[in-house]
Amino acid sequence: LSAVSWAREMCIRDRVSGAYEPEGVNNWGRWGDDDQIGTQNLIGNEQRRNAARAVQSGKVFSLALPIDANGPRFHTRPAPLHWFLMTGSDQVAGSPYAAVDPGFQWNDDMFQMPLQGSTQWDGFAHVMYQDTMYNGYWAGNVTAFGGASVLGIDKHRENFVGRCVLLDVARSEGLDPLERLTVIDRAMIERCLERHGTTIEPCDMVLVRTGYLALWDSTWSPDEVMYYFSGSPGLGVSAVYWCNDNDVSAVATDTIAVEVFQPEDPDARRYPVHVGALVDLGLPLGEFWVLDELAADCADDSRYEFMLVAPPLNIPGAVGSPINPIALK
């Protein structure tokens, strides 16, 4: 086949024949060859009803950062832009647009931002490994013109509603925040659960608090920002395997990358948690979640489980989405 014919054939078939296939633990084909929501398949109607029973006090916690120019973001992602198309001052000054409807006044505004630039979910199309995405889909299915024709974040528009457990690893380890480049491994997670007196149920979503987000300072220089990000603590590879062993349906942290920013094994594949979770397991990752207030309340009443409602925006073909996650206790 010519290069053009080959590319066209790959787009039709969605997959690459003879390309990357996970050698270890994976969920490819577990929910069918055409599956595009991965471990969120674990949450069904029964699991959502059970999650509602976790709501006891009625307390509501927003787990989202303010979306503005002061929030933490990686240097490749520009600051959000918020501007107005019509304001009260335009109306008072006599804007010609307002003259169309005498006596009626309004304010309109617009927003522009990287979809991975604040509290957010990574979609499965966000990460590829050896030209391949989750469940064997070909990386060429994501284009600058059409976006993600498969595995877009819009496939999750009715997901992320269910029971959730907070792992306050920082408080559990007596280090708040965790030290730079701390690797959160399986043993640390299991120790945290024991100290919280909490168990994980199949289908649970898990939030991991490091305390590191509280260190962010919007007045830092570029070098200070890079130092902050490059020292981010996070999940190690064994923690991803723990998620798989316990049928965790999603995991989010209060850090930029979920995983520890410097690799545990310099000779292993880059960003092994992202590849292992998003490509191999179909396990969604959430970043920059605000967990301090929720964690303090959980520590007060010793209840670390709650209902989480955190669907992404319905943006066709997008590979990530900002969100306002809500925890209901």
Side-chain angles (χ1 to χ4, degrees):
L1 292 176
S2 68
V4 173
S5 298
W6 180 85
R8 184 180 297 113
E9 179 71 9
M10 290 305 101
C11 284
I12 294 171
R13 291 167 47 231
D14 290 333
R15 291 166 170 78
V16 183
S17 176
Y20 170 73
E21 294 183 10
E23 295 180 1
V25 176
N26 70 87
N27 283 322
W28 288 21
R30 179 178 178 182
W31 296 285
D33 291 340
D34 297 327
D35 174 53
Q36 298 190 48
I37 65 170
T39 52
Q40 281 295 293
N41 282 289
L42 295 166
I43 304 178
N45 293 339
E46 180 181 355
Q47 288 74 25
R48 285 186 285 269
R49 287 194 298 270
N50 288 338
R53 298 188 186 103
V55 181
Q56 297 184 12
S57 68
K59 293 179 182 178
V60 173
F61 298 86
S62 169
L63 310 181
L65 286 166
I67 302 179
D68 58 27
N70 296 319
R73 66 184 189 281
F74 204 57
H75 68 276
T76 58
R77 295 165 179 160
L81 297 176
H82 182 202
W83 67 96
F84 277 77
L85 304 176
M86 180 65 72
T87 67
S89 58
D90 294 317
Q91 308 280 350
V92 172
S95 166
Y97 293 104
V100 176
D101 296 298
F104 179 78
Q105 299 173 314
W106 73 96
N107 297 303
D108 270 358
D109 50 354
M110 285 185 62
F111 205 78
Q112 177 178 310
M113 68 172 295
L115 297 184
Q116 293 84 12
S118 187
T119 305
Q120 55 100 21
W121 286 118
D122 280 344
F124 296 149
H126 178 52
V127 168
M128 296 85 66
Y129 186 69
Q130 295 182 7
D131 300 336
T132 310
M133 299 181 289
Y134 167 66
N135 219 15
Y137 286 100
W138 181 46
N141 285 291
V142 183
T143 66
F145 180 77
S149 62
V150 296
L151 300 176
I153 197 67
D154 53 300
K155 301 299 189 295
H156 284 296
R157 62 189 177 274
E158 295 179 344
N159 294 160
F160 306 113
V161 178
R163 185 178 184 267
C164 189
V165 171
L166 174 70
L167 299 179
D168 190 352
V169 177
R171 188 175 264 104
S172 170
E173 294 296 307
L175 296 169
D176 201 347
L178 293 180
E179 295 178 350
R180 283 174 54 85
L181 300 177
T182 297
V183 178
I184 300 172
D185 59 14
R186 177 189 291 266
M188 197 176 293
I189 289 175
E190 292 176 347
R191 191 160 59 241
C192 181
L193 283 169
E194 182 178 359
R195 289 170 176 171
H196 289 347
T198 303
T199 58
I200 294 292
E201 298 178 3
C203 89
D204 279 353
M205 294 175 280
V206 170
L207 308 183
V208 180
R209 178 178 175 269
T210 70
Y212 199 71
L213 183 58
L215 298 178
W216 170 257
D217 187 336
S218 62
T219 67
W220 277 338
S221 69
D223 287 344
E224 289 171 316
V225 169
M226 185 55 64
Y227 179 79
Y228 170 77
F229 284 140
S230 65
S232 181
L235 302 188
V237 173
S238 70
V240 177
Y241 294 144
W242 175 88
C243 289
N244 180 74
D245 291 344
N246 288 275
D247 269 341
V248 170
S249 60
V251 61
T253 73
D254 55 358
T255 64
I256 184 178
V258 177
E259 63 190 294
V260 62
F261 206 80
Q262 298 294 331
E264 297 172 82
D265 180 358
D267 297 324
R269 60 187 181 182
R270 294 286 290 166
Y271 298 104
V273 170
H274 268 70
V275 175
L278 295 175
V279 178
D280 293 353
L281 295 177
L283 174 67
L285 301 179
E287 297 161 347
F288 281 143
W289 288 43
V290 179
L291 303 177
D292 290 355
E293 184 180 359
L294 173 64
D297 190 80
C298 291
D300 285 344
D301 65 10
S302 299
R303 289 187 57 247
Y304 288 85
E305 64 277 355
F306 44 88
M307 185 173 186
L308 179 68
V309 180
L313 298 176
N314 186 7
I315 308 175
V319 302
S321 172
I323 50 175
N324 179 26
I326 297 295
L328 297 95
K329 289 191 69 182

